Amino acid sequence: MFKPTDIQRGMTVRDRDGEALGGIVAVDPRGFTIGKGRIFEREYPVRFSDVADLDGDDVYLRRDLASLPGATLAAGALDLEDDKCHPGAAQRPVAYTHDLTGALVPME
């Protein structure tokens, strides 16, 4: 269980699959704001109730990117830079679990 006071500017926000969505640019009593960038065309507000967990400087949301209400991908956000990946190629989602120390780690 996280405390809203543990969420600070500069932390990285990730969806439930671990995809980095952007950095936190503001925090207020209701939630925080993800800055515009690679994923979002404009700043994106998030409520604390949408947070699943914290791991160091990473904030994990309860939803994946596709199910975030009102989310709009920035132009070119789906352009893949890795030569091994091609648009339209099936991507296997990465599942995460907690290790013995409580840190989030990818399941294998």
Side-chain angles (χ1 to χ4, degrees), residues 53 55 60 94-108:
D53 202 2
D55 183 28
Y60 287 84
V94 177
Y96 287 84
T97 187
H98 290 277
D99 67 9
L100 296 176
T101 66
L104 280 173
V105 295
M107 292 178 65
E108 295 184 39

Side-chain angles (χ1 to χ4, degrees), residues 68-87:
L68 289 175
T72 304
L73 291 177
L78 295 180
D79 292 341
L80 302 175
E81 297 174 7
D82 189 348
D83 290 338
K84 296 182 289 184
C85 296
H86 302 285

